[in-house]
Amino acid sequence: MEASFEFEAQLRGETGTRKARSLRRALKIPAVLYGGREAPLPLTLSKPQVDKNLEREAVYSHILTINIEGQGPVQAILKEVQRHPSRESVLHLDFQRIYADEEIRVHVPLHFVNEETCVGVKKGGVITHNLVEVEVACLPGQLPEFIEVDLADLDLGEAIHLSELKLPEGVKPVELIHGTDVPVVTVLAPRVGEEEGEAGEEGGEEEV
């Protein structure tokens, strides 16, 4: 079942550090909704609802519904989560308004599959994940929840680049737009020293 996320919000009259601290003591989270054709809106959200939604990875690459009291629902994406540096508690959220006919840029997580059966791994190789997410540009209706990367046929010394990712129609990696085709994942051959060390250990065991 496709994930869906809603945030209940109230307009926030006062802003500033002191007011934000007061809100957090009352189990509220300050937020802002910006972008598009309207002025930014300072909002207040429920901390329990925020914490519950942020537990799921999909919230970061999904179209969200913000139900603003007195104004109705607004479609948005989550652009930034500010957390306390030591306690990891949420301090503030930034949302960006979206429109069906306007392109958005979102970081989408990569899901790597068939790592254990990867050809290169069976030959002793080690998988190196160079990226765990990719920034993509697309219309809101084309936004994928995640991008699957199949490693089954990846051999020693080979890599999968951005240009080789299987993406839904209309979805483009931002770095490719700028002309940069970086490797997403590689299978590295074991170092010679490691192989010799293992061989030596095996030989020593045989002598004993």
Side-chain angles (χ1 to χ4, degrees):
M1 184 175 65
E2 186 176 349
S4 62
F5 299 92
E6 293 193 11
F7 292 84
E8 304 300 321
Q10 295 82 40
L11 292 175
R12 178 163 49 103
E14 297 181 51
T15 59
T17 302
R18 180 177 296 180
K19 181 60 178 178
R21 288 174 179 168
S22 175
L23 286 172
R24 287 190 283 269
R25 285 195 294 269
L27 296 182
K28 301 289 185 180
I29 301 293
V32 63
L33 173 66
Y34 64 84
R37 306 151 191 154
E38 302 176 41
L41 287 179
L43 303 173
T44 300
L45 309 174
S46 162
K47 183 180 186 303
Q49 186 181 49
V50 168
D51 289 341
K52 181 179 179 181
N53 281 336
L54 294 187
E55 287 176 355
R56 302 175 64 184
E57 177 191 57
V59 73
Y60 297 95
S61 56
H62 234 76
I63 305 303
L64 316 173
T65 299
I66 303 177
N67 297 309
I68 304 175
E69 189 176 89
Q71 294 196 14
V74 176
Q75 300 296 296
I77 53 175
L78 181 58
K79 292 299 289 185
E80 184 177 1
V81 178
Q82 297 177 26
R83 295 182 181 272
H84 190 280
S86 59
R87 295 196 295 268
E88 285 296 306
S89 55
V90 177
L91 300 178
H92 190 276
L93 297 182
D94 286 9
F95 296 98
Q96 178 186 329
R97 291 186 190 89
I98 63 167
Y99 301 94
D101 59 346
E102 291 186 5
E103 191 174 79
I104 56 175
R105 293 189 174 190
V106 180
H107 286 86
V108 176
L110 299 173
H111 286 188
F112 298 94
V113 298
N114 295 321
E115 293 192 1
E116 294 181 358
T117 57
C118 172
V119 172
V121 170
K122 290 181 178 179
K123 296 179 180 179
V126 178
I127 294 173
T128 299
H129 302 96
N130 303 307
L131 299 176
V132 295
E133 63 179 18
V134 171
E135 185 181 18
V136 301
C138 63
L139 293 175
Q142 299 168 325
L143 179 63
E145 181 177 326
F146 61 87
I147 298 169
E148 186 173 279
V149 186
D150 191 348
L151 306 185
D153 297 326
L154 202 61
D155 208 340
L156 285 175
E158 293 183 345
I160 296 175
H161 290 75
L162 279 178
S163 60
E164 298 172 290
L165 294 178
K166 292 180 172 58
L167 302 174
E169 184 177 354
V171 178
K172 306 174 291 292
V174 172
E175 288 201 53
L176 271 186
I177 297 173
H178 296 155
T180 306
D181 191 12
V182 299
V184 172
V185 59
T186 57
V187 178
L188 301 178
R191 289 181 294 182
V192 175
E194 292 178 352
E195 291 180 336
E196 291 177 349
E198 291 174 0
E201 290 175 4
E202 291 175 359
E205 290 174 358
E206 289 175 0
E207 290 176 3
V208 173

